[in-house]
């Protein structure tokens, strides 16, 4: 049988392979709620403009409500022969209300319909992700406030560089996630224009009111060019790009969790709830959740690249290529959502080993910069010379395999005679972090202020 939606001039139905490559109901059924909302807005606008009868519009709206509850109740049978969500819904509508159903598709096409549905879907996704990232920021900030004074090693090149606080390290991710949310918000603002009424590609001769449907669906305004309306997938790409950057941040944090939990390092402990065991090695506590968060960016960045390649070189306006916008995006959105939830879970449960952190913070002559700064501040040496003097003092300590503060004053004076015993006041890691009070620096009091500012901000948003 030929397709009952468009099969007027077809004598036979599609080949099985044709159906196989063409069908999208397996995945685009996720758009059912948006599809029904779009159709209801369209039908009521058509009636308001006198394009269809009020009675027909009422039947259509009631039928669509029935379909919504059928789908939500799991009683709806999706049919592959009807290709996609749009035709599945419309065909069921015809079964429910008869001929009036045929009036719904006046002055629209599946091209503007799918563009509208997917915008609505991505908009909902952006709102969900924003709330989830906000929750992760809250978990990080609360932890940071609790450990604002906990000293840990700060790294560059993954080599011990200078002492920082654990709270400060966690707050770095709160900043990153703040930018991620900003990018998602930007994407949402640009996305929020309604393509419905662009019809197939050229607009329509019916006296529709695109401003009314845009408003009914919560859009700021209708899109301004019908060709662009049906061929634009920037809103998905932008969301996937922002999602990729966010996933990259989570992946970096996950890698740190993997490093920190290694017995070789042992800076933090994850809870049993976010760790797995080994089937053969009973002693193992594996950070699988962190490893998977580290890895799953591949799917998200893959979806972004995949869609970028689909859209590249596509002539205007709609082409079926664009049906390939959905599966990767759906997967990327749910993947990011899971990554955020798993990260928040790990953060809430993680416990730092404060003793080990402090010890490690002092290793590798991490307060050498503090010594150099002291020489500049107290003795008035130019920084380059202070750097040189400090290098020689670190050399002495390192030859003897002892930390800086274990050197005798006389040994330091052998390098720079004006050094006094006051220097020992800056050589401990706690003094070092406490002195880093420059704006954005790691001093515990800075971290506390920053964490409190964020908590206030996050509470205001919630
Ligand atoms: N399932 C299609 C998609 O996702 C809907 C639009 C189809 N339009 C068409 N003219 N065949 O892109």
């Amino acid at each position: 049988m030929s397709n009952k939606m468009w099969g007027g001039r077809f004598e036979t139905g599609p080949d099985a392979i044709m159906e196989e490559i063409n069908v999208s109901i397996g995945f685009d059924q996720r758009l059912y709620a948006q599809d029904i909302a779009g159709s209801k807005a369209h039908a009521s606008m058509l009636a308001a403009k006198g394009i269809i009868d009020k009675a027909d519009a009422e039947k259509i709206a009631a039928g669509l409500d029935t379909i919504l509850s059928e789908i939500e109740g799991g009683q709806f049978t999706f049919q592959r022969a009807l290709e996609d969500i749009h035709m599945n819904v419309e065909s069921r509508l015809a079964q429910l209300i008869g001929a009036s159903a045929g009036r719904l598709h006046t002055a629209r096409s599946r091209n503007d319909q799918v563009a509208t549905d997917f915008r609505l879907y991505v908009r909902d996704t952006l709102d969900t992700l924003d709330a989830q990232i906000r929750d992760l920021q809250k978990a990080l900030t609360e932890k940071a406030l609790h450990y604002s004074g906990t000293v840990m090693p700060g790294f560059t090149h993954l080599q011990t560089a200078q002492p920082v606080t654990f709270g400060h390290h966690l707050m770095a991710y709160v900043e990153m996630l703040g930018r991620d949310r900003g990018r998602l918000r930007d994407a949402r603002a640009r996305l929020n224009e309604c393509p419905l009424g662009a019809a197939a590609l050229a607009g329509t001769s019916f006296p529709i009111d695109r401003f009314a449907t845009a408003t009914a669906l919560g859009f700021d305004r209708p899109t301004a060019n019908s060709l662009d309306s049906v061929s634009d997938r920037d809103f998905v790409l932008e969301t996937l790009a922002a999602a990729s950057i966010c996933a990259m941040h989570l992946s970096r944090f996950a890698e740190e969790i993997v490093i920190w939990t290694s017995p070789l390092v042992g800076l933090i402990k994850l809870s049993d709830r976010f760790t797995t065991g080994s089937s053969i090695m009973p002693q193992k506590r594996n950070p699988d959740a962190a490893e998977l968060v580290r890895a799953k960016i591949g799917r998200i960045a893959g979806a972004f690249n995949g869609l970028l390649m689909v859209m590249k070189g596509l002539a205007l306006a709609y082409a079926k290529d664009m049906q390939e916008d959905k599966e990767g995006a759906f997967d990327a959105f749910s993947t990011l959502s899971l990554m955020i939830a798993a990260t928040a879970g790990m953060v809430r449960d993680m416990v730092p080993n404060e003793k080990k952190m402090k010890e490690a913070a002092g290793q590798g002559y991490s307060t050498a910069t503090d010594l150099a700064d002291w020489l500049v501040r107290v003795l008035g040496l130019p920084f380059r010379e202070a750097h040189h003097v400090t290098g020689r003092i670190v050399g002495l300590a390192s030859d003897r395999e002892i930390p800086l503060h274990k050197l005798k004053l006389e040994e330091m004076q052998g390098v720079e005679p004006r050094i006094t015993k006051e220097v020992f006041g800056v050589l401990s890691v706690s003094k070092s972090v406490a002195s880093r009070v420059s704006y954005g620096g790691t001093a515990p009091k800075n971290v506390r202020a920053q964490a409190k500012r964020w908590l206030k901000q996050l509470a205001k948003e919630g």
Side-chain angles (χ1 to χ4, degrees):
M1 194 196 82
S2 64
N3 187 296
K4 54 183 157 166
M5 293 293 167
W6 46 250
R9 58 161 295 186
F10 286 72
E11 277 163 19
T12 62
D15 187 88
I17 295 294
M18 176 64 218
E19 182 178 288
E20 181 67 24
I21 196 168
N22 200 35
V23 70
S24 60
I25 189 62
F27 50 89
D28 69 14
Q29 56 181 266
R30 284 205 204 203
L31 300 176
Y32 73 89
Q34 290 79 9
D35 194 69
I36 288 170
S39 289
K40 284 181 76 174
H42 184 66
S44 109
M45 179 278 292
L46 291 176
K49 297 297 289 179
I51 301 167
I52 63 172
D53 286 349
K54 289 236 151 37
D56 283 329
E58 276 161 23
K59 276 199 226 160
I60 288 170
L64 289 169
D65 284 340
T66 305
I67 294 172
L68 184 65
S69 50
E70 284 177 355
I71 296 177
E72 286 180 340
Q75 297 132 11
F76 191 94
T77 318
F78 292 104
Q79 289 178 52
R80 283 166 58 87
L82 291 166
E83 283 182 36
D84 57 24
I85 184 64
H86 324 296
M87 296 202 293
N88 268 273
V89 170
E90 201 187 315
S91 157
R92 176 70 183 135
L93 188 64
Q95 284 175 351
L96 288 170
I97 67 167
S100 305
R103 304 212 176 266
L104 171 61
H105 215 52
T106 314
R108 79 168 185 189
S109 142
R110 276 189 292 154
N111 299 349
D112 58 337
Q113 199 180 346
V114 73
T116 305
D117 293 1
F118 206 21
R119 277 189 196 238
L120 289 171
Y121 185 92
V122 174
R123 192 175 73 187
D124 289 346
T125 302
L126 286 166
D127 292 342
T128 310
L129 288 174
D130 183 71
Q132 269 199 290
I133 301 174
R134 183 178 148 273
D135 176 65
L136 173 56
Q137 285 184 301
K138 192 158 168 274
L140 284 161
T141 310
E142 280 163 356
K143 227 356 80 135
L145 191 57
H146 194 262
Y147 293 107
S148 58
T150 302
V151 181
M152 70 176 279
F155 303 93
T156 59
H157 314 267
L158 202 53
Q159 308 283 320
T160 306
Q162 292 175 359
V164 295
T165 53
F166 186 47
H168 194 54
H169 197 114
L170 296 177
M171 289 310 293
Y173 285 98
V174 175
E175 295 292 328
M176 293 177 229
L177 294 168
R179 294 194 295 277
D180 290 331
R181 292 177 65 199
R183 273 181 281 273
L184 295 171
R185 271 198 297 271
D186 289 350
R188 191 192 194 287
R190 258 185 302 280
L191 162 154
N192 210 28
E193 293 185 347
C194 186
L196 192 59
L201 76 165
T204 174
S205 56
F206 290 99
I208 59 171
D209 182 354
R210 292 194 57 210
F211 289 85
T213 42
T215 305
L217 294 168
F219 288 108
D220 296 330
R221 63 192 80 83
T223 49
N225 179 296
S226 63
L227 293 168
D228 181 43
S229 306
V230 295
S231 62
D232 168 39
R233 291 296 181 273
D234 292 4
F235 61 98
V236 196
L237 285 168
E238 263 194 274
T239 303
L240 289 173
S244 300
I245 296 176
C246 179
M248 173 274 287
H249 290 146
L250 298 180
S251 177
R252 293 180 74 172
F253 186 44
E255 165 68 353
E256 297 197 314
I257 293 174
V258 171
I259 293 171
W260 293 344
T261 52
S262 163
L264 288 175
V265 179
L267 293 186
I268 63 163
K269 193 169 177 221
L270 288 177
S271 66
D272 286 357
R273 304 188 325 146
F274 285 93
T275 324
T276 57
S278 155
S279 52
I280 174 166
M281 298 164 284
Q283 85 285 8
K284 290 292 285 290
R285 288 175 60 80
N286 295 330
D288 292 40
E291 293 166 83
L292 288 162
V293 169
R294 182 173 63 184
K296 280 182 187 287
I297 183 180
R299 302 161 74 127
I300 299 171
F304 172 56
N305 279 293
L307 183 56
L308 202 57
M309 291 308 102
V310 166
M311 297 308 293
K312 170 194 165 297
L314 269 193
L316 301 186
Y318 178 83
K320 198 61 175 265
D321 306 53
M322 289 160 69
Q323 179 166 288
E324 287 291 309
D325 60 354
K326 292 177 201 65
E327 284 166 289
F330 289 147
D331 179 69
F333 300 154
S334 51
T335 297
L336 183 60
S337 172
L338 183 57
M339 288 169 76
I340 299 167
T343 306
M346 286 189 283
V347 168
R348 289 205 158 94
D349 282 11
M350 70 170 55
V351 180
N353 182 335
E354 297 188 73
K355 192 165 161 274
K356 195 123 183 219
M357 277 189 169
K358 192 164 181 183
E359 272 164 27
Q363 277 161 15
Y365 304 104
S366 67
T367 57
T369 315
D370 297 274
L371 173 54
D373 288 350
W374 186 89
L375 295 169
V376 170
R377 218 172 34 243
V378 180
L379 302 185
L381 295 189
F383 183 77
R384 282 291 157 221
E385 198 183 323
H387 186 282
H388 190 73
V389 169
T390 305
R392 289 182 54 203
I393 295 175
V394 167
L396 282 180
S398 138
D399 286 347
R400 296 187 39 210
E401 295 185 10
I402 54 170
L404 275 184
H405 65 271
K406 290 278 161 66
L407 278 176
K408 295 207 180 68
L409 179 60
E410 299 77 64
E411 288 174 295
M412 292 196 230
Q413 286 170 334
V415 179
E416 168 51 65
R418 286 175 294 167
I419 294 179
T420 64
K421 66 177 190 323
E422 269 64 51
V423 77
F424 290 100
V426 301
L427 295 182
S428 83
V429 291
S430 306
K431 295 250 166 54
S432 168
V433 294
S435 74
R436 301 271 193 265
V437 289
S438 56
Y439 184 77
T442 195
K445 79 171 201 210
N446 282 18
V447 175
R448 275 193 296 277
Q450 193 205 11
K452 283 183 184 154
R453 185 179 59 75
W454 264 111
L455 283 178
K456 216 185 264 168
Q457 168 69 27
L458 295 171
K460 209 161 68 195
E461 292 166 359

